[in-house]
Amino acid sequence: MQLFRTLRRRLFAFQILLLLIGSCAVAYGALRSFEANLMPDLTRKGDLIARSLAGQMQRALDYGVAFEQLGGVEDLFRSIRSANPEILFITATDGEGEHAFHAGEAEKGSVLKILHETMPAGEGRETHGAVPAAGFLIVSRPITVADQPVGWIHVGVDANFVQQQLSEIFYDILVVLIVSLLLTFELLLLIMANASAPLQALQSVFDHAGSGDRQARLREERWPREVRHIALALGEVVAWLNDRYASLAKAASGQGQPAGAAHRLAPLAEALSALGSAAGGQDAGRGGQHGLVSIRMPLFVFFLAEELSRSFFPLYARSLAEPVAGLSPEIVISLPMMLFMLVVAFSQPFGGPWAQRLGARRLLIIGAVIGAAGLALTALAQSLWALLLWRFVTAAGYGLVFVAGQSYVVVNTDPKNRAWGLAMFVGSVLAATICGPAIGGILAERIGERGTFCVGAGLALLSALLAAWLLRAPRPEQTAARVPPLRWSDVREVLANPRFFALVCLGAMPAKIILTGFLFYLAPLYLASLGNTPSATGRMMMLYGLLMVLLTPFAARLVDRIGHPVLFVVVGGLTSGVGLLGLLWSDGTMMMVAAIGILGIAQATSITPQLALVPAACRDECRRLGQVTVIGFFRLFERIGSALGPLIAGALLEPLGYVATMVAMGIGMATASLLLGLVWNSSERQPKGSVPALPGE
Amino acid sequence: MLPTTTQTKILVAMLLVLVTALTTTATLTYFIYDRTLSAQVGSRFEFIARDLKRKIEAGLDLGLPLGQLDNVNELLRQELITDDALVSLAITSAKGVILFDTERGNVGTTQPGPWLDALAQPGADANRLLQEEGRLTIPLANSFGKVVGALQVSYSKAYYDRKRQETLFDLAEVTLIVLLIGGCIGVAGVQFISRPLDHAVVRLEAALRAILLRIHGNAAPVDAGAEPETEIVGFERSLLVAVSAVERAEVEIARAVQPTAGSP
């Protein structure tokens, strides 16, 4: 309903404002407190340096060397400054202020001017504290010979040093804000879905007029407490309307009744239909919204649990790696990641029957508990083999949760609102992709990698509890559509189609290879080698998820408007490849950030159009096997690409090194995209439009 | 137990997120303070240690054995009084025997510790600073580069623990104040923003009650009134129209059916 949507929007905007102002106030208060606390220590150190230097110069002058002829003074100043970044300048002046030795960021002339203005010669410049001037805290000590001052040492401490130290908290605050806002969004969605549940259920009743079961459900449903009395009252009114309508219809259509009697029911039928529309408003066709929104929170929490280790997992695997005959250390590090992706890839075809047997709710709870156990045991792993085993367990849990989530969407939607339901599901995955790496990085820095896995295990358990609390047990008629078993003959048949083969091998798989090989495997290792902390790496990786969320819907609309999805796939692939070539120009952190950002933009452009090409490439196969099955095969190969990514990156890393490996992957991606364009254009033209994205990794 | 309304749920959820976000921000900020303070402490005492090392090694360069250097006690004492966070300054031989100490009673005793093993290693770096809890140790080398002893700078951990504690209290106070103000604004804001929902729920409840009374034949017909047209008012009106339509249809069908029922 519009009322709930408007309220949600207003509350969300209000929370943004509250969080922004609150965080800024806390950060400002902290800065004031830290400055007051740290400044005495900073100036004390400046004084210490000034005193020591004054003593050293004094000894040299005691030997009779003239002030202006002292040697190596500026080198000494420079060496002290290099070890103390908060010291912006060190200057020594003679008694008249005519000769000066100086080392510092600020120019000698400007420093001398400041010194003249703030401490005129002969006015007793020795200070026990620091004199603030032009962004410096200046500490001065006299150089004396025979108890007579012959010069001064001035040490300029950066007055904004504490502020600069705290400036890096800006990024952490930004991460906390984004995560908080996503959490607020999820909570508001859930609360509003609860509040609007009775009216939507009522709308569903009128959508399926005549179904007595649905009317009974309005009375029998386990409603959220805050709307229970409204739902029950509505149920009673609906039952009354239903009973009266049924008896009137019976009376009017009974044998021997005049034809006019039945016509008198028309205004009543119209009024009931209008009541249905009034209850549903613009959400017509979204009867299962309450149920679908309820699954977002457990899914979000579970995927967040797994995403926490994204920014440091390769580093963790490296810490446990041991020599394996015939494999380079780089490939060994990639094995746990490859295994994880492979298990998730095959969980789809093999997990489907479990969803049918156990129901989505139970499967989700079981999967989340298995995932929690896997994450906890990953935290305790002491060897590569233990890590491989526990990653297998975690991946099995992840795969089951994934299948359960999809199954729940299918059960709670009909063809009219399935795309919306899948968007709800994908939304939870993407929200976790944004939050996970950044929060995980911060946690890893504070409590360590093993501690972060433990937090992940706790979150996975929490998601199981949320699922048990929020999800409704399926009613007998709510069973997932039967999933046909995976038949290799069907796979062979689809792969024999050259256009599908080209789309998989030159489009989907390279896109996933570059995602997992570059972003998940190489980026954390390379960024760490450049001296970045896990939290900085997490923030950079967060950029990918953020751009995907923001740009994917925009790109999908653009494809719908312009058509030619293959063009978007080729351009997206080329862009992600070219983005990595930038590392040839500069191999620093900023270029890595750019490469990650470009990958996000490029994949947002190409992922949805790729799916649009599947039915176009396999018209006959879709007719024979069904579109869902063919798209299922496409997703399977895509995920096999995800599994190959770390392995390929690991294999290239040993002989080529980081930069050349990333460049080689970029060239491979760009070449594959160009080849795909050529292969596609050499065959018939494609229909316009795209299909809604199915959930993926 | 608090009454569970949608408004209460919204309020609790939003305040929970606010509390989590602000305490996380405060905690992360404190971590940065702690790191900055530790770096400041470390570098200040490192400077003191290196400065003293330079002065003592200048004496060693004259060829005197470490234990026979003049004015070392005075040098250490002078240094100690310049910084109230310094607890003691000591010079040991390469075997760990204390040769000079600002705490006189310790002279002649042996000071064991991991630093001694590090110094004993062949080719030990004479500039390497060893850090332990509340103590820095730096080797002292003669002009040939041979490690002949070590300088130990002990500083008060309590002094910096006190600083940390003060800051923690300050930060907790700031966070609490911001949370209280933010909480008050949050409560007022949520109440104000969700007023239409509250109003709609109350109105819908009243309307449903009245309709139930009416359909059970206990009350006069309800009217949606002259309220501005909102979705809830629209729904309520549709509900009334449906109930009225049932009542009308009952009368009309009864009228249409009666003559037929009465005919032979």
Side-chain angles (χ1 to χ4, degrees):
Chain A
M1 282 182 92
Q2 188 58 38
L3 170 69
F4 294 103
R5 260 201 301 276
T6 309
L7 271 179
R8 205 171 62 211
R9 229 173 279 147
R10 284 182 187 164
L11 286 167
F12 190 63
F14 177 66
Q15 181 80 332
I16 291 178
L17 209 68
L18 207 58
L19 283 170
L20 260 177
I21 296 171
S23 301
C24 289
V26 167
Y28 181 77
L31 176 68
R32 291 275 78 87
S33 162
F34 296 172
E35 271 182 345
N37 192 282
L38 287 172
M39 275 307 172
D41 284 272
L42 279 173
T43 51
R44 185 182 277 187
K45 188 171 151 194
D47 185 51
L48 195 70
I49 292 170
R51 196 162 44 84
S52 167
L53 289 172
Q56 286 181 60
M57 291 185 75
Q58 202 168 297
R59 267 190 298 280
L61 292 170
D62 281 343
Y63 288 115
V65 183
F67 185 89
E68 61 273 21
Q69 286 173 350
L70 289 171
V73 177
E74 291 188 343
D75 286 341
L76 176 65
F77 288 0
R78 270 191 285 274
S79 73
I80 290 174
R81 274 204 66 236
S82 68
N84 300 280
E86 73 276 22
I87 306 295
L88 290 184
F89 71 81
I90 304 175
T91 302
T93 56
D94 66 7
E96 284 72 42
E98 285 176 8
H99 294 284
F101 300 103
H102 173 83
E105 276 176 19
E107 275 183 24
K108 186 176 173 177
S110 61
V111 168
L112 288 176
K113 193 165 169 260
I114 293 166
L115 291 173
H116 276 298
E117 283 167 4
T118 53
M119 295 168 232
E123 285 191 11
R125 287 182 279 189
E126 185 175 359
T127 55
H128 294 290
V131 177
F136 304 109
L137 291 169
I138 304 170
V139 184
S140 303
R141 282 273 176 179
I143 307 164
T144 55
V145 174
D147 289 333
Q148 290 300 310
V150 293
W152 295 88
I153 287 280
H154 307 281
V155 175
V157 180
D158 186 356
N160 300 317
F161 180 69
V162 177
Q163 205 173 326
Q164 278 167 16
Q165 294 297 301
L166 278 183
S167 68
E168 73 180 74
I169 191 77
F170 169 78
Y171 297 108
D172 285 342
I173 291 177
L174 201 66
V175 169
V176 172
L177 271 181
I178 292 173
V179 175
S180 305
L181 290 177
L182 280 169
L183 201 63
T184 306
F185 181 79
E186 295 292 333
L187 285 171
L188 286 179
L189 205 63
L190 186 66
I191 294 168
M192 292 300 179
N194 271 348
S196 62
L199 291 178
Q200 285 187 353
L202 185 67
Q203 201 270 330
S204 169
V205 167
F206 286 103
D207 262 4
H208 300 79
S211 164
D213 176 60
R214 277 178 186 266
Q215 288 159 25
R217 200 181 306 150
L218 196 57
R219 278 174 289 172
E220 290 161 13
E221 185 83 54
R222 191 162 58 91
W223 296 108
R225 196 188 302 163
E226 70 271 24
V227 292
R228 189 173 158 74
H229 49 293
I230 291 182
L232 292 179
L234 274 175
E236 207 174 320
V237 174
V238 168
W240 182 83
L241 287 171
N242 186 52
D243 290 347
R244 291 300 166 102
Y245 184 84
S247 58
L248 285 171
K250 197 176 165 193
S253 62
Q255 262 194 339
Q257 300 306 332
H263 288 301
R264 290 176 207 278
L265 279 178
L268 174 57
E270 214 171 275
L272 292 178
S273 167
L275 181 56
S277 304
Q282 289 176 22
D283 292 325
R286 287 184 186 176
Q289 188 190 39
H290 175 233
L292 282 178
V293 170
S294 301
I295 201 173
R296 269 182 75 111
M297 190 56 85
L299 284 178
F300 168 71
V301 173
F302 182 81
F303 293 132
L304 179 68
E306 172 51 33
E307 289 290 331
L308 284 182
S309 61
R310 190 65 80 204
S311 63
F312 63 82
F313 186 78
L315 300 168
Y316 186 67
R318 187 166 66 184
S319 72
L320 294 173
E322 49 195 82
V324 176
L327 296 179
S328 70
E330 288 78 10
I331 292 182
V332 171
I333 296 168
S334 74
L335 291 178
M337 295 179 77
M338 188 204 70
L339 180 72
F340 186 92
M341 302 287 178
L342 212 57
V343 174
V344 172
F346 284 97
S347 67
Q348 194 76 18
F350 294 112
W354 284 98
Q356 273 179 276
R357 197 174 307 164
L358 297 171
R361 181 175 173 270
R362 277 164 72 188
L363 190 67
L364 202 152
I365 294 169
I366 292 169
V369 170
I370 293 174
L375 284 167
L377 291 165
T378 303
L380 301 174
Q382 294 297 334
S383 69
L384 175 74
W385 307 109
L387 181 65
L388 281 169
L389 177 64
W390 304 135
R391 287 310 280 169
F392 179 89
V393 174
T394 314
Y398 188 96
L400 290 180
V401 169
F402 207 91
V403 171
Q406 276 180 318
S407 173
Y408 193 86
V409 170
V410 171
V411 166
N412 283 281
T413 54
D414 50 40
K416 269 197 289 181
N417 62 358
R418 187 146 300 148
W420 175 81
L422 288 173
M424 279 267 143
F425 178 74
V426 175
S428 64
V429 180
L430 286 177
T433 314
I434 295 173
C435 305
I439 286 284
I442 293 172
L443 283 174
E445 217 169 291
R446 311 294 172 203
I447 60 171
E449 293 162 351
R450 291 180 190 274
T452 308
F453 278 114
C454 290
V455 172
L459 283 176
L461 269 185
L462 177 67
S463 86
L465 291 175
L466 284 171
W469 180 43
L470 292 172
L471 303 188
R472 286 173 284 190
R475 284 181 288 273
E477 82 282 4
Q478 278 188 311
T479 49
R482 206 181 70 80
V483 181
L486 180 72
R487 283 193 312 212
W488 293 110
S489 57
D490 294 343
V491 180
R492 273 202 304 274
E493 185 187 336
V494 176
L495 278 180
N497 179 332
R499 296 178 89 197
F500 181 84
F501 189 77
L503 185 61
V504 163
C505 296
L506 300 173
M509 287 176 76
K512 290 295 174 192
I513 287 170
I514 209 158
L515 174 68
T516 58
F518 164 68
L519 188 66
F520 295 173
Y521 176 77
L522 289 171
L525 288 173
Y526 183 56
L527 286 169
S529 78
L530 291 177
N532 291 287
T533 57
S535 63
T537 302
R539 284 196 297 265
M540 291 176 221
M541 293 177 82
M542 178 183 182
L543 189 64
Y544 171 82
L546 210 56
L547 288 168
M548 283 289 284
V549 168
L550 295 175
L551 298 181
T552 304
F554 175 71
R557 275 199 296 275
L558 209 62
V559 177
D560 282 338
R561 196 180 305 160
I562 297 174
H564 304 293
V566 72
L567 183 72
F568 284 81
V569 175
V570 171
V571 170
L574 266 175
T575 312
S576 53
V578 170
L580 291 183
L581 300 189
L583 289 161
L584 282 173
W585 179 52
S586 161
D587 56 3
T589 299
M590 283 319 289
M591 190 49 78
M592 280 297 285
V593 175
I596 292 170
I598 291 171
L599 183 70
I601 295 168
Q603 297 223 330
T605 312
S606 62
I607 293 295
T608 310
Q610 265 182 19
L611 275 172
L613 291 177
V614 177
C618 308
R619 283 195 192 107
D620 293 342
E621 291 82 355
C622 283
R623 249 197 315 274
R624 273 200 303 279
L625 305 171
Q627 187 171 317
V628 174
T629 306
V630 175
I631 288 180
F633 289 153
F634 176 80
R635 305 296 293 185
L636 177 66
F637 288 115
E638 204 178 36
R639 288 181 183 139
I640 291 172
S642 297
L644 288 176
L647 197 67
I648 293 172
L652 292 173
L653 190 54
E654 195 203 10
L656 298 179
Y658 286 113
V659 174
T661 300
M662 289 187 269
V663 169
M665 291 182 85
I667 292 172
M669 179 75 227
T671 312
S673 300
L674 281 176
L675 283 173
L676 175 66
L678 287 174
V679 170
W680 203 269
N681 278 337
S682 64
S683 50
E684 65 189 77
R685 287 183 68 80
Q686 299 313 300
K688 285 176 88 176
S690 65
V691 294
L694 287 173
E697 302 93 311
Chain B
M1 209 170 124
L2 280 171
T4 314
T5 63
T6 303
Q7 216 175 28
T8 319
K9 277 192 172 181
I10 292 170
L11 197 61
V12 168
M14 287 178 67
L15 289 182
L16 202 70
V17 173
L18 185 72
V19 170
T20 311
L22 295 193
T23 46
T24 310
T25 301
T27 310
L28 292 174
T29 316
Y30 177 76
F31 281 140
I32 290 185
Y33 160 81
D34 191 42
R35 199 183 57 198
T36 310
L37 180 69
S38 298
Q40 279 304 308
V41 172
S43 70
R44 190 164 106 218
F45 294 118
E46 184 181 337
F47 186 86
I48 290 174
R50 290 195 188 281
D51 198 40
L52 275 174
K53 172 186 161 78
R54 184 181 50 76
K55 288 173 183 167
I56 295 163
E57 284 181 343
L60 291 174
D61 286 348
L62 298 173
L64 292 169
L66 183 60
Q68 291 174 22
L69 288 177
D70 285 340
N71 294 328
V72 173
N73 278 323
E74 182 57 20
L75 179 70
L76 297 182
R77 200 186 58 77
Q78 281 290 335
E79 198 63 56
L80 189 72
I81 56 172
T82 59
D83 197 319
D84 50 6
L86 282 175
V87 173
S88 71
L89 295 165
I91 292 172
T92 71
S93 70
K95 289 180 178 163
V97 178
I98 295 176
L99 304 174
F100 305 97
D101 199 320
T102 48
E103 288 173 17
R104 292 289 165 88
N106 292 337
V107 175
T109 59
T110 305
Q111 188 109 102
W115 61 273
L116 200 58
D117 302 329
L119 288 184
Q121 281 171 4
D125 181 2
N127 281 313
R128 188 178 156 209
L129 199 76
L130 300 167
Q131 290 194 321
E132 292 167 274
E133 193 77 3
R135 189 166 70 180
L136 294 176
T137 306
I138 192 162
L140 296 169
N142 62 19
S143 51
F144 302 108
K146 185 178 186 301
V147 173
V148 293
L151 167 72
Q152 290 187 333
V153 177
S154 302
Y155 54 89
S156 164
K157 233 171 79 32
Y159 173 80
Y160 288 99
D161 285 346
R162 201 173 58 244
K163 274 181 95 82
R164 283 191 183 93
Q165 207 173 33
E166 277 170 18
T167 306
L168 202 60
F169 282 136
D170 277 355
L171 196 57
E173 192 183 333
V174 167
T175 311
L176 204 66
I177 290 170
V178 174
L179 272 175
L180 281 174
I181 296 172
C184 291
I185 296 173
V187 171
V190 169
Q191 295 252 345
F192 179 74
I193 294 172
S194 61
R195 220 172 31 180
L197 178 65
D198 208 30
H199 182 71
V201 170
V202 170
R203 193 185 162 84
L204 187 59
E205 277 175 351
L208 284 171
R209 249 195 325 268
I211 288 169
L212 282 174
L213 285 174
R214 173 173 159 177
I215 63 181
H216 293 308
N218 297 334
V222 284
D223 183 13
E227 285 275 327
E229 187 67 31
T230 62
E231 281 170 308
I232 294 295
V233 172
F235 171 71
E236 193 187 309
R237 199 162 278 150
S238 301
L239 207 54
L240 281 172
V241 168
V243 172
S244 303
V246 167
E247 289 166 347
R248 239 188 344 269
E250 275 180 331
V251 173
E252 286 179 15
I253 287 176
R255 206 177 293 154
V257 163
Q258 226 146 27
T260 315
S263 65

mmCIF file of all heavy atoms in Angstrom, chain A residues 582-601:
data_model
loop_
_atom_site.group_PDB
_atom_site.id
_atom_site.type_symbol
_atom_site.label_atom_id
_atom_site.label_comp_id
_atom_site.label_asym_id
_atom_site.label_seq_id
_atom_site.Cartn_x
_atom_site.Cartn_y
_atom_site.Cartn_z
ATOM 1 N N GLY A 582 44.862 -1.153 -16.740
ATOM 2 C CA GLY A 582 45.345 0.077 -16.103
ATOM 3 C C GLY A 582 46.503 -0.195 -15.151
ATOM 4 O O GLY A 582 47.308 0.700 -14.882
ATOM 5 N N LEU A 583 46.607 -1.440 -14.652
ATOM 6 C CA LEU A 583 47.684 -1.771 -13.718
ATOM 7 C C LEU A 583 49.054 -1.701 -14.377
ATOM 8 O O LEU A 583 50.080 -1.634 -13.702
ATOM 9 C CB LEU A 583 47.448 -3.160 -13.128
ATOM 10 C CG LEU A 583 46.280 -3.221 -12.132
ATOM 11 C CD1 LEU A 583 45.788 -4.631 -11.944
ATOM 12 C CD2 LEU A 583 46.692 -2.620 -10.799
ATOM 13 N N LEU A 584 49.065 -1.725 -15.726
ATOM 14 C CA LEU A 584 50.347 -1.574 -16.442
ATOM 15 C C LEU A 584 50.881 -0.162 -16.260
ATOM 16 O O LEU A 584 52.083 0.082 -16.255
ATOM 17 C CB LEU A 584 50.137 -1.847 -17.938
ATOM 18 C CG LEU A 584 50.022 -3.307 -18.368
ATOM 19 C CD1 LEU A 584 49.655 -3.377 -19.837
ATOM 20 C CD2 LEU A 584 51.336 -4.041 -18.119
ATOM 21 N N TRP A 585 49.944 0.771 -16.143
ATOM 22 C CA TRP A 585 50.306 2.184 -16.031
ATOM 23 C C TRP A 585 50.746 2.513 -14.605
ATOM 24 O O TRP A 585 51.728 3.198 -14.379
ATOM 25 C CB TRP A 585 49.101 3.026 -16.470
ATOM 26 C CG TRP A 585 49.311 4.500 -16.384
ATOM 27 C CD1 TRP A 585 50.343 5.215 -16.918
ATOM 28 C CD2 TRP A 585 48.474 5.429 -15.711
ATOM 29 N NE1 TRP A 585 50.192 6.543 -16.627
ATOM 30 C CE2 TRP A 585 49.041 6.707 -15.883
ATOM 31 C CE3 TRP A 585 47.284 5.324 -14.983
ATOM 32 C CZ2 TRP A 585 48.475 7.855 -15.376
ATOM 33 C CZ3 TRP A 585 46.717 6.478 -14.473
ATOM 34 C CH2 TRP A 585 47.317 7.722 -14.666
ATOM 35 N N SER A 586 49.968 1.985 -13.639
ATOM 36 C CA SER A 586 50.334 2.203 -12.240
ATOM 37 C C SER A 586 49.898 0.976 -11.449
ATOM 38 O O SER A 586 48.768 0.512 -11.604
ATOM 39 C CB SER A 586 49.625 3.455 -11.706
ATOM 40 O OG SER A 586 49.609 3.429 -10.304
ATOM 41 N N ASP A 587 50.799 0.438 -10.623
ATOM 42 C CA ASP A 587 50.440 -0.783 -9.892
ATOM 43 C C ASP A 587 50.154 -0.498 -8.422
ATOM 44 O O ASP A 587 50.285 -1.363 -7.577
ATOM 45 C CB ASP A 587 51.538 -1.842 -10.044
ATOM 46 C CG ASP A 587 52.895 -1.319 -9.586
ATOM 47 O OD1 ASP A 587 52.944 -0.165 -9.102
ATOM 48 O OD2 ASP A 587 53.893 -2.039 -9.714
ATOM 49 N N GLY A 588 49.740 0.735 -8.136
ATOM 50 C CA GLY A 588 49.488 1.115 -6.746
ATOM 51 C C GLY A 588 48.062 0.818 -6.308
ATOM 52 O O GLY A 588 47.229 0.313 -7.066
ATOM 53 N N THR A 589 47.785 1.188 -5.044
ATOM 54 C CA THR A 589 46.469 0.915 -4.455
ATOM 55 C C THR A 589 45.344 1.627 -5.206
ATOM 56 O O THR A 589 44.282 1.050 -5.429
ATOM 57 C CB THR A 589 46.477 1.352 -2.971
ATOM 58 O OG1 THR A 589 47.476 0.595 -2.294
ATOM 59 C CG2 THR A 589 45.147 1.098 -2.305
ATOM 60 N N MET A 590 45.593 2.876 -5.592
ATOM 61 C CA MET A 590 44.524 3.640 -6.244
ATOM 62 C C MET A 590 44.089 2.991 -7.557
ATOM 63 O O MET A 590 42.901 2.980 -7.895
ATOM 64 C CB MET A 590 44.970 5.090 -6.506
ATOM 65 C CG MET A 590 44.950 5.976 -5.281
ATOM 66 S SD MET A 590 43.526 5.732 -4.197
ATOM 67 C CE MET A 590 42.217 6.432 -5.181
ATOM 68 N N MET A 591 45.052 2.435 -8.270
ATOM 69 C CA MET A 591 44.696 1.769 -9.533
ATOM 70 C C MET A 591 43.910 0.487 -9.260
ATOM 71 O O MET A 591 43.021 0.131 -10.040
ATOM 72 C CB MET A 591 45.976 1.465 -10.329
ATOM 73 C CG MET A 591 45.722 1.002 -11.747
ATOM 74 S SD MET A 591 44.563 2.033 -12.690
ATOM 75 C CE MET A 591 45.599 3.400 -13.126
ATOM 76 N N MET A 592 44.212 -0.182 -8.148
ATOM 77 C CA MET A 592 43.425 -1.362 -7.769
ATOM 78 C C MET A 592 41.987 -0.953 -7.454
ATOM 79 O O MET A 592 41.032 -1.637 -7.839
ATOM 80 C CB MET A 592 44.048 -2.053 -6.552
ATOM 81 C CG MET A 592 45.221 -2.929 -6.870
ATOM 82 S SD MET A 592 44.788 -4.328 -7.927
ATOM 83 C CE MET A 592 43.947 -5.399 -6.762
ATOM 84 N N VAL A 593 41.839 0.172 -6.759
ATOM 85 C CA VAL A 593 40.484 0.668 -6.455
ATOM 86 C C VAL A 593 39.744 0.934 -7.771
ATOM 87 O O VAL A 593 38.576 0.555 -7.937
ATOM 88 C CB VAL A 593 40.544 1.958 -5.599
ATOM 89 C CG1 VAL A 593 39.160 2.533 -5.385
ATOM 90 C CG2 VAL A 593 41.196 1.674 -4.263
ATOM 91 N N ALA A 594 40.461 1.563 -8.706
ATOM 92 C CA ALA A 594 39.845 1.861 -10.014
ATOM 93 C C ALA A 594 39.449 0.567 -10.720
ATOM 94 O O ALA A 594 38.347 0.463 -11.284
ATOM 95 C CB ALA A 594 40.814 2.676 -10.862
ATOM 96 N N ALA A 595 40.343 -0.439 -10.673
ATOM 97 C CA ALA A 595 40.057 -1.717 -11.352
ATOM 98 C C ALA A 595 38.837 -2.398 -10.736
ATOM 99 O O ALA A 595 37.976 -2.926 -11.456
ATOM 100 C CB ALA A 595 41.276 -2.631 -11.277
ATOM 101 N N ILE A 596 38.737 -2.334 -9.400
ATOM 102 C CA ILE A 596 37.574 -2.947 -8.717
ATOM 103 C C ILE A 596 36.297 -2.190 -9.095
ATOM 104 O O ILE A 596 35.257 -2.790 -9.392
ATOM 105 C CB ILE A 596 37.782 -2.960 -7.180
ATOM 106 C CG1 ILE A 596 38.911 -3.928 -6.814
ATOM 107 C CG2 ILE A 596 36.497 -3.349 -6.454
ATOM 108 C CD1 ILE A 596 39.378 -3.855 -5.371
ATOM 109 N N GLY A 597 36.385 -0.867 -9.102
ATOM 110 C CA GLY A 597 35.225 -0.044 -9.479
ATOM 111 C C GLY A 597 34.784 -0.321 -10.905
ATOM 112 O O GLY A 597 33.592 -0.503 -11.182
ATOM 113 N N ILE A 598 35.766 -0.398 -11.813
ATOM 114 C CA ILE A 598 35.436 -0.656 -13.224
ATOM 115 C C ILE A 598 34.814 -2.046 -13.360
ATOM 116 O O ILE A 598 33.851 -2.231 -14.124
ATOM 117 C CB ILE A 598 36.699 -0.504 -14.100
ATOM 118 C CG1 ILE A 598 37.123 0.977 -14.135
ATOM 119 C CG2 ILE A 598 36.444 -0.998 -15.534
ATOM 120 C CD1 ILE A 598 38.456 1.239 -14.782
ATOM 121 N N LEU A 599 35.330 -3.006 -12.605
ATOM 122 C CA LEU A 599 34.753 -4.365 -12.651
ATOM 123 C C LEU A 599 33.287 -4.327 -12.203
ATOM 124 O O LEU A 599 32.419 -4.972 -12.815
ATOM 125 C CB LEU A 599 35.552 -5.313 -11.746
ATOM 126 C CG LEU A 599 35.096 -6.768 -11.766
ATOM 127 C CD1 LEU A 599 35.421 -7.424 -13.099
ATOM 128 C CD2 LEU A 599 35.742 -7.574 -10.648
ATOM 129 N N GLY A 600 33.004 -3.558 -11.154
ATOM 130 C CA GLY A 600 31.624 -3.429 -10.666
ATOM 131 C C GLY A 600 30.718 -2.847 -11.741
ATOM 132 O O GLY A 600 29.633 -3.370 -12.011
ATOM 133 N N ILE A 601 31.176 -1.770 -12.375
ATOM 134 C CA ILE A 601 30.370 -1.114 -13.419
ATOM 135 C C ILE A 601 30.171 -2.077 -14.589
ATOM 136 O O ILE A 601 29.062 -2.251 -15.105
ATOM 137 C CB ILE A 601 31.067 0.184 -13.907
ATOM 138 C CG1 ILE A 601 31.132 1.200 -12.759
ATOM 139 C CG2 ILE A 601 30.336 0.779 -15.103
ATOM 140 C CD1 ILE A 601 32.042 2.387 -13.024
#
